[in-house]
Coordinates of all heavy atoms in Angstrom, one line a residue:
Q134 N 5.1 8.1 21.4 CA 5.8 8.4 20.1 C 6.4 7.1 19.6 O 6.9 6.3 20.4 CB 6.9 9.4 20.4 CG 6.9 10.5 19.3 CD 8.0 11.5 19.6 OE1 9.1 11.1 19.9 NE2 7.6 12.8 19.5
L135 N 6.5 6.9 18.3 CA 7.0 5.7 17.7 C 8.4 5.9 17.3 O 8.9 6.9 16.8 CB 6.2 5.4 16.4 CG 4.7 5.1 16.6 CD1 4.0 4.9 15.3 CD2 4.5 3.9 17.5
D136 N 9.2 4.8 17.5 CA 10.6 4.8 17.1 C 10.6 4.7 15.6 O 9.9 3.9 15.0 CB 11.3 3.6 17.7 CG 12.7 3.4 17.4 OD1 13.2 4.0 16.4 OD2 13.4 2.7 18.1
D137 N 11.4 5.6 14.9 CA 11.5 5.6 13.5 C 11.9 4.2 12.9 O 11.5 4.0 11.7 CB 12.5 6.7 13.0 CG 11.9 8.0 13.1 OD1 10.7 8.2 13.2 OD2 12.7 9.0 12.9
E138 N 12.6 3.4 13.6 CA 13.0 2.2 13.1 C 12.0 1.0 13.4 O 12.2 -0.1 13.0 CB 14.4 1.8 13.6 CG 15.5 2.8 13.2 CD 15.6 2.9 11.7 OE1 15.6 1.9 11.0 OE2 15.6 4.1 11.2
Y139 N 10.9 1.4 14.1 CA 10.0 0.3 14.5 C 8.9 0.1 13.4 O 7.8 0.6 13.5 CB 9.4 0.6 15.8 CG 8.7 -0.5 16.4 CD1 9.1 -1.8 16.3 CD2 7.5 -0.3 17.2 CE1 8.4 -2.9 16.8 CE2 6.9 -1.4 17.8 CZ 7.3 -2.7 17.6 OH 6.6 -3.7 18.1
L140 N 9.3 -0.6 12.4 CA 8.5 -0.8 11.2 C 7.1 -1.4 11.6 O 6.1 -0.9 11.0 CB 9.2 -1.7 10.2 CG 8.5 -2.1 9.0 CD1 9.5 -2.0 7.8 CD2 7.9 -3.5 9.1
N141 N 7.0 -2.4 12.4 CA 5.8 -3.0 12.7 C 4.8 -2.1 13.4 O 3.6 -2.2 13.2 CB 6.0 -4.2 13.6 CG 6.6 -5.4 12.8 OD1 6.4 -5.5 11.6 ND2 7.4 -6.2 13.5
A142 N 5.3 -1.1 14.2 CA 4.4 -0.2 14.8 C 3.7 0.7 13.8 O 2.5 0.9 13.8 CB 5.1 0.7 15.8
Y143 N 4.5 1.2 12.8 CA 3.9 2.0 11.7 C 2.9 1.2 10.9 O 1.9 1.7 10.5 CB 5.0 2.6 10.9 CG 5.7 3.7 11.5 CD1 7.1 3.6 11.8 CD2 5.1 4.9 11.8 CE1 7.8 4.6 12.4 CE2 5.8 5.9 12.4 CZ 7.1 5.8 12.7 OH 7.8 6.8 13.3
F144 N 3.3 -0.1 10.6 CA 2.4 -0.9 9.8 C 1.1 -1.2 10.5 O 0.1 -1.0 9.9 CB 3.2 -2.2 9.5 CG 2.4 -3.1 8.6 CD1 2.3 -2.9 7.2 CD2 1.7 -4.2 9.1 CE1 1.5 -3.7 6.4 CE2 1.0 -5.1 8.3 CZ 0.9 -4.8 6.9
N145 N 1.2 -1.5 11.8 CA -0.1 -1.8 12.5 C -0.9 -0.6 12.7 O -2.2 -0.6 12.6 CB 0.3 -2.4 13.9 CG 0.8 -3.8 13.7 OD1 0.4 -4.6 12.8 ND2 1.7 -4.2 14.7
L146 N -0.3 0.6 12.9 CA -1.0 1.8 13.0 C -1.7 2.1 11.6 O -2.9 2.6 11.6 CB -0.1 3.0 13.4 CG -0.7 4.3 13.8 CD1 -1.7 4.1 14.9 CD2 0.4 5.2 14.2
A147 N -1.0 1.9 10.5 CA -1.6 2.1 9.2 C -2.8 1.2 9.0 O -3.9 1.6 8.5 CB -0.6 1.8 8.1
L148 N -2.7 -0.1 9.4 CA -3.9 -1.0 9.4 C -5.1 -0.5 10.1 O -6.2 -0.5 9.7 CB -3.5 -2.4 9.9 CG -2.5 -3.2 9.0 CD1 -2.1 -4.4 9.7 CD2 -3.1 -3.5 7.7
V149 N -4.8 0.1 11.3 CA -5.9 0.6 12.2 C -6.5 1.8 11.5 O -7.8 1.9 11.4 CB -5.4 0.9 13.6 CG1 -6.4 1.7 14.4 CG2 -5.0 -0.3 14.3
F150 N -5.7 2.7 11.0 CA -6.3 3.9 10.4 C -7.1 3.5 9.1 O -8.1 4.1 8.9 CB -5.2 4.9 10.0 CG -4.7 5.7 11.1 CD1 -3.3 5.9 11.3 CD2 -5.5 6.4 11.9 CE1 -2.8 6.6 12.4 CE2 -5.1 7.2 13.0 CZ -3.7 7.3 13.2
S151 N -6.7 2.5 8.4 CA -7.4 2.1 7.3 C -8.8 1.5 7.7 O -9.8 1.8 7.1 CB -6.6 1.0 6.5 OG -7.3 0.7 5.3
E152 N -8.8 0.7 8.7 CA -10.0 0.2 9.2 C -11.0 1.2 9.7 O -12.2 1.1 9.6 CB -9.8 -0.8 10.4 CG -9.2 -2.2 9.9 CD -10.2 -2.9 9.1 OE1 -11.4 -3.0 9.5 OE2 -9.9 -3.5 8.0
L153 N -10.4 2.3 10.2 CA -11.2 3.5 10.7 C -11.6 4.4 9.6 O -12.2 5.4 9.8 CB -10.5 4.2 11.8 CG -10.2 3.5 13.1 CD1 -9.3 4.3 14.0 CD2 -11.5 3.2 13.8
E154 N -11.3 4.0 8.4 CA -11.5 4.8 7.2 C -10.8 6.2 7.2 O -11.3 7.2 6.7 CB -13.0 5.0 6.9 CG -13.7 3.6 6.7 CD -15.2 3.7 6.4 OE1 -15.7 4.8 6.3 OE2 -15.8 2.6 6.2
R155 N -9.7 6.2 7.9 CA -8.9 7.4 8.0 C -7.7 7.2 7.0 O -6.6 7.0 7.4 CB -8.4 7.7 9.4 CG -9.6 8.1 10.3 CD -9.3 8.1 11.7 NE -8.2 8.9 12.2 CZ -7.9 9.0 13.5 NH1 -8.5 8.4 14.4 NH2 -6.9 9.8 13.8
Y156 N -8.0 7.2 5.7 CA -7.1 6.7 4.7 C -5.8 7.6 4.6 O -4.8 7.1 4.3 CB -7.8 6.6 3.3 CG -9.1 5.8 3.4 CD1 -10.3 6.3 3.1 CD2 -9.0 4.4 3.9 CE1 -11.5 5.5 3.2 CE2 -10.1 3.6 4.0 CZ -11.3 4.1 3.6 OH -12.4 3.4 3.7
A157 N -6.0 8.9 4.7 CA -4.8 9.8 4.6 C -3.8 9.4 5.7 O -2.6 9.4 5.4 CB -5.2 11.2 4.6
E158 N -4.2 9.1 6.9 CA -3.3 8.8 8.0 C -2.8 7.4 7.7 O -1.6 7.1 8.1 CB -4.1 8.9 9.3 CG -4.4 10.3 9.7 CD -5.5 10.4 10.7 OE1 -6.6 10.1 10.4 OE2 -5.1 10.8 11.9
A159 N -3.6 6.5 7.2 CA -3.0 5.2 6.8 C -1.9 5.3 5.8 O -0.8 4.7 6.0 CB -4.2 4.3 6.3
I160 N -2.1 6.1 4.8 CA -1.1 6.3 3.7 C 0.2 6.9 4.4 O 1.3 6.4 4.0 CB -1.7 7.2 2.6 CG1 -2.7 6.5 1.8 CG2 -0.5 7.7 1.7 CD1 -3.6 7.4 0.9
E161 N 0.0 7.8 5.3 CA 1.2 8.4 5.9 C 2.0 7.4 6.7 O 3.2 7.4 6.6 CB 0.6 9.5 6.9 CG 1.7 10.3 7.6 CD 1.0 11.3 8.5 OE1 0.1 12.1 8.0 OE2 1.5 11.4 9.7
N162 N 1.3 6.5 7.3 CA 2.0 5.4 8.1 C 2.6 4.4 7.2 O 3.7 3.9 7.4 CB 1.1 4.8 9.2 CG 1.0 5.7 10.3 OD1 1.9 5.7 11.2 ND2 0.0 6.6 10.4
Y163 N 1.9 4.0 6.1 CA 2.5 3.1 5.1 C 3.8 3.7 4.5 O 4.7 3.0 4.2 CB 1.5 2.7 4.0 CG 0.5 1.7 4.5 CD1 -0.9 2.0 4.3 CD2 0.9 0.5 5.1 CE1 -1.8 1.0 4.8 CE2 -0.1 -0.4 5.5 CZ -1.4 -0.1 5.3 OH -2.3 -1.1 5.8
T164 N 3.7 5.0 4.3 CA 4.9 5.7 3.7 C 6.1 5.6 4.7 O 7.2 5.4 4.3 CB 4.5 7.2 3.4 OG1 3.5 7.2 2.5 CG2 5.7 7.9 2.9
K165 N 5.8 5.7 6.0 CA 6.9 5.6 7.0 C 7.5 4.2 6.9 O 8.7 4.0 7.0 CB 6.3 5.8 8.4 CG 6.3 7.3 8.7 CD 7.6 7.8 9.0 CE 7.6 9.0 9.8 NZ 8.9 9.6 10.0
V166 N 6.6 3.2 6.8 CA 7.0 1.8 6.7 C 8.0 1.7 5.5 O 9.1 1.1 5.6 CB 5.8 0.8 6.5 CG1 6.3 -0.6 6.1 CG2 5.0 0.8 7.8
L167 N 7.6 2.2 4.4 CA 8.4 2.1 3.1 C 9.7 2.9 3.2 O 10.6 2.5 2.5 CB 7.5 2.5 1.9 CG 6.3 1.5 1.7 CD1 5.4 2.1 0.7 CD2 6.8 0.2 1.3
E168 N 9.7 3.9 4.0 CA 10.9 4.7 4.2 C 11.9 3.8 5.0 O 13.1 3.9 4.8 CB 10.7 6.0 5.0 CG 10.0 7.0 4.1 CD 9.5 8.2 5.0 OE1 9.7 8.3 6.2 OE2 8.9 9.1 4.4
I169 N 11.4 3.0 5.9 CA 12.3 2.1 6.6 C 12.7 0.9 5.8 O 13.8 0.4 5.9 CB 11.5 1.6 7.9 CG1 11.3 2.9 8.8 CG2 12.3 0.6 8.7 CD1 10.3 2.6 10.0
N170 N 11.7 0.3 5.1 CA 12.0 -0.9 4.3 C 11.2 -0.8 3.0 O 10.0 -1.1 3.0 CB 11.6 -2.2 5.1 CG 11.9 -3.4 4.3 OD1 12.3 -3.4 3.1 ND2 11.7 -4.6 4.9
D171 N 11.9 -0.4 1.9 CA 11.2 -0.2 0.6 C 10.9 -1.5 -0.1 O 10.3 -1.5 -1.2 CB 11.9 0.8 -0.3 CG 13.2 0.3 -0.7 OD1 13.7 -0.8 -0.2 OD2 13.8 1.0 -1.6
L172 N 11.2 -2.7 0.5 CA 10.9 -4.0 -0.1 C 9.7 -4.6 0.6 O 9.4 -5.7 0.3 CB 12.1 -4.9 0.0 CG 13.3 -4.4 -0.8 CD1 14.5 -5.4 -0.6 CD2 13.0 -4.3 -2.2
F173 N 9.1 -3.9 1.5 CA 7.9 -4.4 2.3 C 6.7 -4.4 1.4 O 6.0 -3.4 1.3 CB 7.7 -3.6 3.5 CG 6.8 -4.2 4.6 CD1 7.0 -3.9 5.9 CD2 5.8 -5.1 4.2 CE1 6.2 -4.5 6.9 CE2 5.0 -5.7 5.2 CZ 5.2 -5.3 6.5
Y174 N 6.5 -5.5 0.6 CA 5.6 -5.5 -0.5 C 4.1 -5.3 0.0 O 3.3 -4.7 -0.7 CB 5.7 -6.7 -1.4 CG 5.4 -8.0 -0.7 CD1 4.2 -8.5 -0.8 CD2 6.4 -8.7 -0.1 CE1 3.9 -9.8 -0.2 CE2 6.2 -9.9 0.5 CZ 4.9 -10.4 0.5 OH 4.6 -11.6 1.1
I175 N 3.8 -5.8 1.2 CA 2.4 -5.6 1.7 C 2.1 -4.2 1.9 O 1.0 -3.7 1.7 CB 2.3 -6.5 3.0 CG1 2.5 -8.0 2.7 CG2 0.9 -6.3 3.6 CD1 2.5 -8.8 3.9
A176 N 3.1 -3.4 2.3 CA 2.8 -2.0 2.5 C 2.6 -1.3 1.2 O 1.7 -0.4 1.1 CB 4.0 -1.3 3.2
W177 N 3.3 -1.7 0.1 CA 3.0 -1.1 -1.2 C 1.6 -1.4 -1.6 O 0.9 -0.6 -2.1 CB 4.0 -1.7 -2.2 CG 5.4 -1.1 -2.1 CD1 6.5 -1.8 -1.7 CD2 5.9 0.2 -2.5 NE1 7.6 -1.0 -1.8 CE2 7.2 0.2 -2.2 CE3 5.2 1.3 -3.0 CZ2 8.0 1.4 -2.5 CZ3 6.0 2.5 -3.2 CH2 7.4 2.5 -2.9
F178 N 1.2 -2.7 -1.4 CA -0.1 -3.2 -1.8 C -1.2 -2.4 -1.0 O -2.1 -1.8 -1.6 CB -0.2 -4.7 -1.5 CG -1.5 -5.3 -2.0 CD1 -1.5 -6.0 -3.2 CD2 -2.7 -5.3 -1.2 CE1 -2.7 -6.6 -3.7 CE2 -3.8 -5.9 -1.7 CZ -3.8 -6.5 -2.9
N179 N -1.1 -2.3 0.3 CA -2.1 -1.7 1.1 C -2.1 -0.2 0.9 O -3.2 0.4 0.9 CB -1.8 -2.0 2.6 CG -2.1 -3.4 3.0 OD1 -2.6 -4.2 2.2 ND2 -1.8 -3.8 4.2
R180 N -1.0 0.4 0.7 CA -1.0 1.9 0.4 C -1.7 2.1 -0.9 O -2.5 3.1 -1.0 CB 0.4 2.4 0.4 CG 0.4 4.0 0.4 CD 1.8 4.5 0.6 NE 2.6 4.5 -0.7 CZ 3.7 5.1 -0.9 NH1 4.2 5.9 0.1 NH2 4.3 5.0 -2.0
A181 N -1.5 1.3 -1.9 CA -2.2 1.4 -3.2 C -3.7 1.4 -3.0 O -4.5 2.2 -3.6 CB -1.7 0.4 -4.2
V182 N -4.2 0.4 -2.2 CA -5.6 0.3 -1.9 C -6.1 1.6 -1.3 O -7.2 2.1 -1.6 CB -5.9 -0.9 -1.0 CG1 -7.3 -0.9 -0.5 CG2 -5.6 -2.2 -1.7
N183 N -5.4 2.1 -0.3 CA -5.8 3.4 0.4 C -5.8 4.5 -0.6 O -6.6 5.4 -0.5 CB -4.9 3.6 1.6 CG -5.3 2.8 2.8 OD1 -6.2 3.2 3.5 ND2 -4.8 1.6 2.9
F184 N -4.8 4.6 -1.5 CA -4.8 5.6 -2.5 C -6.1 5.6 -3.4 O -6.7 6.6 -3.7 CB -3.6 5.6 -3.4 CG -2.4 6.3 -2.9 CD1 -1.2 5.6 -2.8 CD2 -2.4 7.6 -2.4 CE1 0.0 6.3 -2.4 CE2 -1.3 8.2 -1.9 CZ -0.1 7.6 -1.9
V185 N -6.5 4.4 -3.7 CA -7.7 4.2 -4.5 C -8.9 4.7 -3.7 O -9.8 5.4 -4.2 CB -7.9 2.7 -4.9 CG1 -9.3 2.5 -5.5 CG2 -6.9 2.3 -5.9
K186 N -8.9 4.4 -2.4 CA -10.1 4.8 -1.6 C -10.2 6.3 -1.5 O -11.3 6.8 -1.2 CB -10.0 4.2 -0.2 CG -10.2 2.7 -0.3 CD -10.1 2.0 1.1 CE -10.4 0.6 1.1 NZ -10.3 -0.1 2.4
I187 N -9.1 7.1 -1.7 CA -9.2 8.5 -1.7 C -9.2 9.1 -3.1 O -8.9 10.3 -3.3 CB -8.1 9.2 -0.8 CG1 -6.7 8.9 -1.3 CG2 -8.3 8.8 0.7 CD1 -5.6 9.8 -0.7
C188 N -9.4 8.2 -4.1 CA -9.5 8.6 -5.5 C -8.2 9.1 -6.1 O -8.2 10.0 -7.0 CB -10.6 9.6 -5.7 SG -12.2 8.9 -5.3
N189 N -7.1 8.6 -5.6 CA -5.8 9.0 -6.1 C -5.2 7.8 -6.9 O -4.3 7.1 -6.4 CB -4.8 9.5 -5.0 CG -3.5 10.0 -5.5 OD1 -3.1 9.8 -6.7 ND2 -2.8 10.8 -4.7
T190 N -5.8 7.6 -8.1 CA -5.4 6.4 -8.9 C -4.0 6.5 -9.4 O -3.3 5.5 -9.6 CB -6.4 6.1 -10.0 OG1 -6.5 7.3 -10.8 CG2 -7.8 5.8 -9.4
D191 N -3.5 7.7 -9.7 CA -2.1 7.9 -10.2 C -1.1 7.3 -9.2 O -0.2 6.6 -9.5 CB -1.8 9.3 -10.6 CG -2.6 9.8 -11.8 OD1 -3.0 8.9 -12.6 OD2 -2.7 11.0 -12.0
S192 N -1.3 7.7 -7.9 CA -0.4 7.2 -6.9 C -0.6 5.7 -6.7 O 0.4 5.0 -6.4 CB -0.6 8.0 -5.6 OG -0.2 9.3 -5.7
A193 N -1.8 5.3 -6.8 CA -2.0 3.8 -6.6 C -1.3 3.1 -7.7 O -0.7 2.0 -7.4 CB -3.5 3.5 -6.7
K194 N -1.4 3.5 -8.9 CA -0.7 2.9 -10.0 C 0.8 2.8 -9.8 O 1.5 1.8 -10.1 CB -1.0 3.5 -11.4 CG -2.3 3.2 -11.9 CD -2.6 4.0 -13.2 CE -4.0 3.8 -13.7 NZ -4.2 4.6 -15.0
K195 N 1.4 3.9 -9.3 CA 2.8 4.0 -9.0 C 3.2 2.9 -8.0 O 4.2 2.3 -8.1 CB 3.2 5.4 -8.6 CG 3.2 6.4 -9.7 CD 3.5 7.8 -9.2 CE 3.3 8.8 -10.3 NZ 3.5 10.2 -9.8
D196 N 2.4 2.8 -7.0 CA 2.7 1.8 -5.9 C 2.5 0.4 -6.5 O 3.3 -0.5 -6.2 CB 1.7 2.0 -4.8 CG 2.1 3.1 -3.8 OD1 3.1 3.8 -4.1 OD2 1.5 3.2 -2.7
M197 N 1.6 0.2 -7.4 CA 1.4 -1.1 -8.0 C 2.5 -1.5 -8.9 O 3.0 -2.6 -8.9 CB 0.1 -1.2 -8.7 CG -1.1 -1.0 -7.8 SD -2.7 -0.7 -8.6 CE -3.0 -2.2 -9.5
I198 N 3.1 -0.5 -9.6 CA 4.2 -0.8 -10.5 C 5.4 -1.1 -9.6 O 6.2 -2.1 -9.9 CB 4.5 0.5 -11.4 CG1 3.4 0.6 -12.4 CG2 5.9 0.4 -12.0 CD1 3.4 1.9 -13.2
Q199 N 5.6 -0.4 -8.5 CA 6.7 -0.7 -7.6 C 6.6 -2.1 -7.0 O 7.5 -2.9 -6.9 CB 6.8 0.3 -6.5 CG 8.0 0.2 -5.6 CD 9.3 0.3 -6.3 OE1 9.5 1.1 -7.3 NE2 10.3 -0.5 -5.9
L200 N 5.3 -2.4 -6.6 CA 5.1 -3.7 -6.1 C 5.4 -4.8 -7.1 O 6.0 -5.9 -6.7 CB 3.6 -3.8 -5.7 CG 3.1 -5.2 -5.2 CD1 3.9 -5.6 -3.9 CD2 1.6 -5.0 -4.8
L201 N 5.0 -4.6 -8.3 CA 5.3 -5.6 -9.3 C 6.8 -5.8 -9.6 O 7.3 -6.9 -9.9 CB 4.6 -5.3 -10.7 CG 3.1 -5.5 -10.6 CD1 2.4 -4.9 -11.8 CD2 2.7 -6.9 -10.5
K202 N 7.6 -4.8 -9.4 CA 9.0 -4.9 -9.5 C 9.6 -5.7 -8.4 O 10.5 -6.5 -8.6 CB 9.7 -3.5 -9.4 CG 9.5 -2.6 -10.7 CD 10.1 -1.3 -10.5 CE 9.8 -0.4 -11.6 NZ 10.3 1.0 -11.4
I203 N 9.0 -5.6 -7.2 CA 9.5 -6.4 -6.1 C 9.0 -7.8 -6.1 O 9.7 -8.8 -5.8 CB 9.0 -5.7 -4.7 CG1 9.6 -4.3 -4.6 CG2 9.3 -6.6 -3.5 CD1 8.9 -3.5 -3.5
D204 N 7.7 -8.0 -6.5 CA 7.1 -9.3 -6.5 C 6.2 -9.4 -7.7 O 5.0 -9.1 -7.6 CB 6.4 -9.5 -5.2 CG 5.7 -10.9 -5.1 OD1 6.0 -11.8 -6.0 OD2 4.8 -11.1 -4.3
P205 N 6.7 -9.9 -8.8 CA 5.8 -10.0 -10.0 C 4.6 -10.9 -9.8 O 3.6 -10.7 -10.5 CB 6.7 -10.6 -11.1 CG 8.1 -10.3 -10.6 CD 8.0 -10.2 -9.1
K206 N 4.6 -11.8 -8.9 CA 3.5 -12.7 -8.6 C 2.4 -12.0 -7.9 O 1.3 -12.5 -7.8 CB 3.9 -13.9 -7.8 CG 4.9 -14.8 -8.5 CD 5.3 -15.9 -7.6 CE 6.4 -16.8 -8.3 NZ 6.9 -17.8 -7.4
S207 N 2.6 -10.8 -7.4 CA 1.6 -10.0 -6.7 C 0.4 -9.6 -7.7 O -0.6 -9.2 -7.2 CB 2.2 -8.8 -6.0 OG 2.7 -7.9 -7.0
Y208 N 0.7 -9.7 -9.0 CA -0.4 -9.3 -9.9 C -1.7 -10.1 -9.7 O -2.8 -9.6 -9.7 CB 0.1 -9.5 -11.4 CG -0.9 -9.1 -12.4 CD1 -1.2 -7.8 -12.7 CD2 -1.6 -10.1 -13.2 CE1 -2.1 -7.4 -13.6 CE2 -2.5 -9.7 -14.1 CZ -2.8 -8.4 -14.3 OH -3.8 -8.0 -15.2
D209 N -1.5 -11.4 -9.4 CA -2.7 -12.2 -9.1 C -3.5 -11.7 -7.9 O -4.7 -11.7 -7.9 CB -2.2 -13.7 -8.9 CG -1.7 -14.3 -10.1 OD1 -2.0 -13.9 -11.3 OD2 -0.9 -15.3 -10.0
S210 N -2.7 -11.3 -6.9 CA -3.4 -10.7 -5.7 C -4.2 -9.4 -6.0 O -5.2 -9.2 -5.5 CB -2.4 -10.4 -4.6 OG -1.8 -11.6 -4.2
M211 N -3.6 -8.6 -6.9 CA -4.2 -7.4 -7.3 C -5.5 -7.7 -8.1 O -6.5 -7.0 -7.9 CB -3.3 -6.6 -8.3 CG -2.1 -6.0 -7.6 SD -1.2 -5.1 -8.8 CE 0.4 -5.0 -8.0
L212 N -5.5 -8.8 -8.9 CA -6.7 -9.1 -9.6 C -7.9 -9.6 -8.6 O -9.0 -9.6 -9.0 CB -6.4 -10.2 -10.6 CG -5.6 -9.8 -11.8 CD1 -5.3 -11.0 -12.7 CD2 -6.3 -8.7 -12.6
E213 N -7.5 -10.1 -7.5 CA -8.4 -10.5 -6.5 C -8.9 -9.5 -5.5 O -9.9 -9.7 -4.8 CB -7.8 -11.7 -5.7 CG -7.6 -12.9 -6.5 CD -6.8 -14.0 -5.7 OE1 -6.6 -13.9 -4.5 OE2 -6.4 -15.0 -6.4
N214 N -8.3 -8.3 -5.6 CA -8.7 -7.2 -4.7 C -9.7 -6.3 -5.4 O -9.4 -5.7 -6.5 CB -7.5 -6.4 -4.3 CG -7.8 -5.3 -3.3 OD1 -8.2 -4.3 -3.7 ND2 -7.5 -5.6 -2.1
E215 N -10.8 -6.0 -4.8 CA -11.9 -5.3 -5.4 C -11.5 -3.8 -5.8 O -12.0 -3.2 -6.7 CB -13.1 -5.2 -4.6 CG -13.0 -4.5 -3.3 CD -14.2 -4.5 -2.4 OE1 -15.2 -3.9 -2.9 OE2 -14.2 -5.0 -1.3
Y216 N -10.5 -3.3 -5.0 CA -10.1 -1.9 -5.3 C -9.0 -1.8 -6.4 O -8.9 -0.8 -7.0 CB -9.6 -1.3 -4.0 CG -10.6 -1.2 -2.9 CD1 -10.7 -2.1 -1.9 CD2 -11.6 -0.2 -3.0 CE1 -11.7 -2.0 -0.9 CE2 -12.6 -0.1 -2.1 CZ -12.7 -1.0 -1.0 OH -13.7 -0.9 -0.1
L217 N -8.2 -2.8 -6.5 CA -7.1 -2.8 -7.4 C -7.3 -3.5 -8.8 O -6.6 -3.3 -9.7 CB -5.8 -3.4 -6.8 CG -5.4 -2.7 -5.5 CD1 -4.1 -3.4 -5.0 CD2 -5.2 -1.2 -5.7
V218 N -8.4 -4.3 -8.9 CA -8.5 -5.1 -10.1 C -8.5 -4.3 -11.4 O -7.9 -4.7 -12.3 CB -9.8 -6.1 -10.0 CG1 -11.0 -5.3 -9.9 CG2 -9.8 -7.1 -11.1
S219 N -9.3 -3.2 -11.4 CA -9.4 -2.5 -12.7 C -8.1 -1.8 -13.0 O -7.6 -1.8 -14.2 CB -10.5 -1.5 -12.7 OG -10.3 -0.5 -11.7
L220 N -7.4 -1.3 -12.0 CA -6.1 -0.7 -12.3 C -5.0 -1.7 -12.7 O -4.2 -1.5 -13.5 CB -5.6 0.1 -11.0 CG -6.4 1.3 -10.6 CD1 -5.8 1.9 -9.4 CD2 -6.3 2.3 -11.7
A221 N -5.1 -2.9 -12.1 CA -4.2 -4.0 -12.4 C -4.3 -4.4 -13.9 O -3.4 -4.6 -14.6 CB -4.4 -5.2 -11.5
K222 N -5.6 -4.5 -14.3 CA -5.8 -4.8 -15.7 C -5.3 -3.7 -16.7 O -4.8 -4.0 -17.7 CB -7.3 -5.0 -16.0 CG -7.8 -6.3 -15.4 CD -9.3 -6.5 -15.6 CE -9.8 -7.8 -14.9 NZ -11.2 -8.0 -15.0
E223 N -5.4 -2.4 -16.3 CA -4.8 -1.3 -17.1 C -3.3 -1.4 -17.2 O -2.8 -1.1 -18.2 CB -5.2 0.0 -16.4 CG -6.6 0.5 -16.6 CD -6.8 1.8 -15.9 OE1 -5.9 2.7 -15.8 OE2 -8.0 2.0 -15.5
L224 N -2.7 -1.9 -16.1 CA -1.2 -2.0 -16.1 C -0.8 -3.1 -17.1 O 0.3 -2.9 -17.6 CB -0.7 -2.3 -14.7 CG -0.8 -1.2 -13.6 CD1 -0.3 -1.7 -12.3 CD2 0.0 0.0 -14.1
R225 N -1.5 -4.1 -17.2 CA -1.2 -5.2 -18.1 C -1.5 -4.9 -19.6 O -1.0 -5.6 -20.5 CB -1.9 -6.5 -17.7 CG -1.3 -7.1 -16.5 CD 0.1 -7.6 -16.7 NE 0.6 -8.1 -15.5 CZ 1.8 -8.7 -15.3 NH1 2.6 -8.7 -16.3 NH2 2.2 -9.2 -14.2
D226 N -2.3 -3.9 -19.8 CA -2.7 -3.6 -21.2 C -1.6 -2.8 -21.9 O -0.8 -2.2 -21.4 CB -4.0 -2.8 -21.3 CG -5.2 -3.7 -20.8 OD1 -5.1 -4.9 -20.9 OD2 -6.2 -3.1 -20.5

């Protein structure tokens, strides 16, 4: 069992689930990370990617908007990500 305050364990578990294409479980763990630290911008980014992979673009956009509030420079990274590029362009229009 994971300690609720152990952010890195949830983050690493989310990465593993994502690699295994178990996107719902990855999202669940990224959500735990964000409950612990809502400024962890990489978790916002990665969760958005996983939302796109399960065709939940509304949630992905919400995560991307939150990410841009935390780190406006992350827009460039979104443009470089094959899953987020089209949504990122929509956000700027």
Side-chain angles (χ1 to χ4, degrees):
Q134 227 180 46
L135 298 174
D136 181 343
D137 281 347
E138 298 303 313
Y139 193 35
L140 179 137
N141 288 329
Y143 288 113
F144 183 75
N145 289 330
L146 193 53
L148 291 172
V149 169
F150 280 130
S151 185
E152 284 294 314
L153 294 172
E154 298 181 4
R155 293 168 57 180
Y156 305 122
E158 291 163 291
I160 290 167
E161 185 179 311
N162 281 279
Y163 284 126
T164 300
K165 280 287 204 184
V166 169
L167 295 168
E168 288 171 0
I169 296 168
N170 180 354
D171 65 352
L172 298 177
F173 196 150
Y174 65 92
I175 298 170
W177 288 108
F178 187 97
N179 290 353
R180 192 172 77 165
V182 169
N183 280 272
F184 275 130
V185 170
K186 289 179 178 181
I187 63 167
C188 299
N189 186 341
T190 56
D191 289 338
S192 292
K194 285 180 187 178
K195 289 177 186 174
D196 279 8
M197 293 165 70
I198 290 168
Q199 185 61 36
L200 175 59
L201 289 169
K202 289 179 186 175
I203 296 167
D204 180 15
K206 294 178 183 175
S207 64
Y208 181 72
D209 293 336
S210 297
M211 290 179 200
L212 291 176
E213 294 174 8
N214 182 281
E215 67 180 297
Y216 297 101
L217 301 182
V218 64
S219 62
L220 292 178
K222 289 178 181 177
E223 283 180 31
L224 290 177
R225 286 294 180 180
D226 291 341

